[in-house]
Amino acid sequence: MEYGSLLRDFIDDAEGHLSTFDDALLTLERQGHDTEIVLGALGTLHTLKGNAGMMGFESLQNYLHLLEDILKKVNDGDLPMGLIMGALMDSANVLRSALQGLGRDPVVIPDLTDNILALQRGVSREGGNDERPNIDPAAYLGAKTDTIRVDFKKFDDLLGLVGELLIFKTRLNQLELEIRAAVNNKPLIKELHEGIGLMGRTVAGLQEGIMRARMLPVRHVFNKFRRMVRDLAESQGKGIQLVCEGEDTEIDKTVIDELEEPLLHIIRNAIDHGLEAPGERIGKGKSRQGMIRLSAAQESNYVVIRVGDDGRGIDIDKVRETALRQGLLKAGDSAGREEILSLIFSPGFTTKKEVSDISGRGIGLDVVSRNVARLNGQISVDSSPERGTEMILKLPLSLAIIPALMTEVDGKVYAVPMSAVEESVKVRDEDIHIINNHEVIRFREKLMPVVRLDEYYGLNRARRDRLYLVILGKGEKRLALAVDRLRGQQEIVIKPLDDTFGKPFGVAGASLMGDGTIVLIVDVMEFWNSSEVMRPVKSRHPYSV
Amino acid sequence: MSDIQLPAAGLAEDVLRIYGQEKKELQIVAFSLGEEYGVPIGQVLEIVRVGDITMVPNSPPYVEGVINLRGRVLPVMNLRKRLNLAPGEIKKASRVIVTEIGSKVIGILVDGVSHVIKVPCMFVEAAPEEVMEVDTDFIQGVAKLRGRLIILLDLEKLLRGKAVSTDQGVAAE
């Protein structure tokens, strides 16, 4: 039940905050007033208050608000700490009881009206400590929970071990083949084969289990935006409804952490530029309230997150205009709608004349695009005038282990993340033509730019009759990566590449193979962003070789 | 002052444990690039033989590549190239010194590692400008011992990627 798990999360979280609050009070009682500690306690209470608000526990919220006021007065010097310490300690007990009550009886919303009165009396100068409640020792135990807090690093360590296991498993597979060729003992080989198979399945299960343990429902991120949407809407005088779907969809915690900022930018953009003021909307025959829809869904190995609004939509002509002005587009280029739309992700792109803190500078979407790329994901946009705009983020389920296509160039192996690969095809060198000094190839009725991996890596270029093209896709854009050979797909463990000496162009990271060799991972995003590569090409020009 | 023979590969901690640490001396790991150079032992994690180094495309010329150190991908800097010395070859005696500066762990390719040397601080001087082949920016000082000159390198500066200047002019970084 959705509410049930939401409540559990709330109680878990609150217990942690309460514990921090307790510690702060104990320290204050011991050491006397300390502004820093009181500020820390205020922060804790504030967060707790916010969470209580999200759950709809108004009475609890009010109680916490009163507590906040009291502590602020203490820091301002209006209320001596010594006088009210007793009342503060009691308040922590009150909170604890409230949480316990929630744990026992989730349906009953805590009502702290009496407690609020008692607290107010407890801290007034005339009042005193005559209303001390009885101490119930059991209350100090807090509510029992089914969850534990785990330092995230432990998961990294576990995942690292699983990664090693996968590498060894690959090695075992190779060994099995070698042994099969060398030894002539069918039953023994059969047993070996089955044993390795079993181990492989167990390791896969282990990997899946750990990855799942690291995953959190998207709700954790979506919830953070409820208040922001409401507050922004109010400050701009717009009515906005935030609809969330698929909140139970789970993503790796690291990906969730990285998602917050991009989503923030996108939602702000939608509110600032996409959604119109109520008057304008009514004039257009739209509903008075605008809507922002956040949805998450799993599609095979990916999570697809959509942020949509029913506002103005993106003005394609304005985009084209700005793109021409900024040199991202040349006058004669015939670029499709999707292609023009995707230009909004280019660095420095902005159609807005004024700047409105985060979203107006035009840096926002470029940074978003890069962040998404860094997660081996993709972002695209769809928009219709007056119907609205939708941003689509496609992210792999995990950061650490990804499926990759192994390619070979100049005798060296390079891995291309499968998330970027649409297909691969064998072609003849003579099928590649040169137009305007760019190599292109006609594939399925369209012309595609060809990037030779050996050239981009400064490797020896062996001219072969036949080569392989790995077709990379992004929205409507296609690019063909030319390599010498294909060596199959496999799952690789991504190891970050040290950046002390700068980030090498075209290299995203490294992975370790079963035999310990290092295979570098191709940075597909950089090919897209390299302007020499991605100029649109027309299809009716005569060829020149 | 004593010379300690360093095993061909091993952990710096073990050496330290055996020979102890003293304060008025610098303990340095001495290695050879034609001349003798040294880095403080506190920055050395271990010394390994040179195995397969995977070349990384589009890296600065002095980056030899990356190696697999027990599951960790480590960049290896060719110190000869970085200091703009005459080019050399990788031989049997060549080693990769695994160094740690702050949070960065980097491997440094050298011709050979000889000793851990304790140098009393009073034997360390500033480098004389004229004599040095190498840009004095990277030099913390020289240690003068019994007819030997050991050039003490500032690893932090080396890793920061400033251009190396030589008599011939500034080499592109």
Side-chain angles (χ1 to χ4, degrees), chain A residues 370-397:
Chain A
R370 257 186 287 132
N371 281 345
V372 171
R374 225 170 6 97
L375 301 174
N376 274 324
Q378 291 185 340
I379 186 169
S380 59
V381 61
D382 195 13
S383 179
S384 316
E386 299 313 327
R387 296 257 301 279
T389 306
E390 189 180 53
M391 298 260 175
I392 306 165
L393 289 85
K394 185 171 151 185
L395 300 163
L397 285 178

Side-chain angles (χ1 to χ4, degrees), chain A residues 28 31-39 75 81:
Chain A
L28 286 168
Q31 295 176 185
H33 179 230
D34 180 331
T35 315
E36 287 299 318
I37 299 185
V38 176
L39 281 176
N75 254 359
M81 172 123 272

Side-chain angles (χ1 to χ4, degrees), chain B residues 92-153:
Chain B
K92 250 176 49 170
S94 303
R95 295 285 183 269
V96 172
I97 304 178
V98 182
T99 64
E100 181 176 41
I101 293 114
S103 57
K104 296 192 186 295
V105 179
I106 310 285
I108 298 181
L109 180 63
V110 300
D111 293 348
V113 177
S114 46
H115 315 296
V116 172
I117 304 179
K118 287 190 201 177
V119 179
C121 290
M122 60 178 145
F123 289 157
V124 178
E125 309 174 350
E129 295 254 355
E130 324 80 45
V131 180
M132 295 291 119
E133 271 182 55
V134 170
D135 188 352
T136 49
D137 267 356
F138 298 129
I139 299 182
Q140 277 182 336
V142 294
K144 289 182 157 172
L145 320 161
R146 310 197 262 201
R148 259 162 107 186
L149 202 67
I150 302 178
I151 305 168
L152 303 176
L153 291 176

Side-chain angles (χ1 to χ4, degrees), chain A residues 164 412 414 456-459 495-501 503-507 510-512 516-520, chain B residues 52 54-60 62-63 66-68 70-77 82 104-106 158-159:
Chain A
E164 308 276 314
K412 305 179 181 57
Y414 295 94
Y456 259 72
Y457 281 171
L459 302 172
K495 300 265 178 189
L497 212 49
D498 187 280
D499 64 352
T500 310
F501 303 118
K503 181 187 176 303
F505 177 81
V507 179
S511 60
L512 295 177
T517 53
I518 298 176
V519 167
L520 297 177
Chain B
D52 289 326
T54 305
M55 185 270 306
V56 176
N58 298 326
S59 305
Y62 51 80
V63 173
V66 287
I67 58 173
N68 174 2
R70 293 188 300 280
R72 183 178 179 156
V73 175
L74 210 65
V76 175
M77 177 170 74
R82 183 77 180 106
K104 296 192 186 295
V105 179
I106 310 285
L158 276 172
L159 296 187

Side-chain angles (χ1 to χ4, degrees), chain B residues 30-37 47-50 64 77-81 85-97 108-114:
Chain B
F31 54 90
S32 142
L33 285 174
E35 302 290 325
E36 261 198 299
Y37 295 81
I47 298 161
V48 298
R49 289 206 155 92
V50 179
E64 195 72 19
M77 177 170 74
N78 185 321
L79 197 51
R80 263 183 182 278
K81 287 189 188 162
L85 303 173
E89 280 175 359
I90 298 183
K91 303 202 185 95
K92 250 176 49 170
S94 303
R95 295 285 183 269
V96 172
I97 304 178
I108 298 181
L109 180 63
V110 300
D111 293 348
V113 177
S114 46

Side-chain angles (χ1 to χ4, degrees), chain B residues 12-31:
Chain B
E13 289 110 72
D14 293 339
V15 178
L16 273 178
R17 199 181 358 104
I18 300 170
Y19 295 105
Q21 275 175 306
E22 298 172 45
K23 289 220 177 114
K24 288 205 195 108
E25 301 175 312
L26 287 180
Q27 280 204 308
I28 57 175
V29 173
F31 54 90

Side-chain angles (χ1 to χ4, degrees), chain A residues 22-87:
Chain A
D22 271 332
D23 286 342
L25 287 181
L26 287 170
T27 309
L28 286 168
E29 184 174 50
R30 222 178 23 237
Q31 295 176 185
H33 179 230
D34 180 331
T35 315
E36 287 299 318
I37 299 185
V38 176
L39 281 176
L42 272 170
T44 305
L45 291 176
H46 191 79
T47 309
L48 190 48
K49 187 177 80 169
N51 292 347
M54 276 201 310
M55 294 295 296
F57 298 149
E58 216 181 290
S59 185
L60 184 54
Q61 236 186 326
N62 293 339
Y63 189 79
L64 285 162
H65 191 84
L66 178 59
L67 261 181
E68 274 187 293
D69 276 347
I70 293 172
L71 283 179
K72 282 184 196 156
K73 287 203 183 115
V74 168
N75 254 359
D76 290 338
D78 291 335
L79 213 49
M81 172 123 272
L83 190 71
I84 58 162
M85 186 47 83

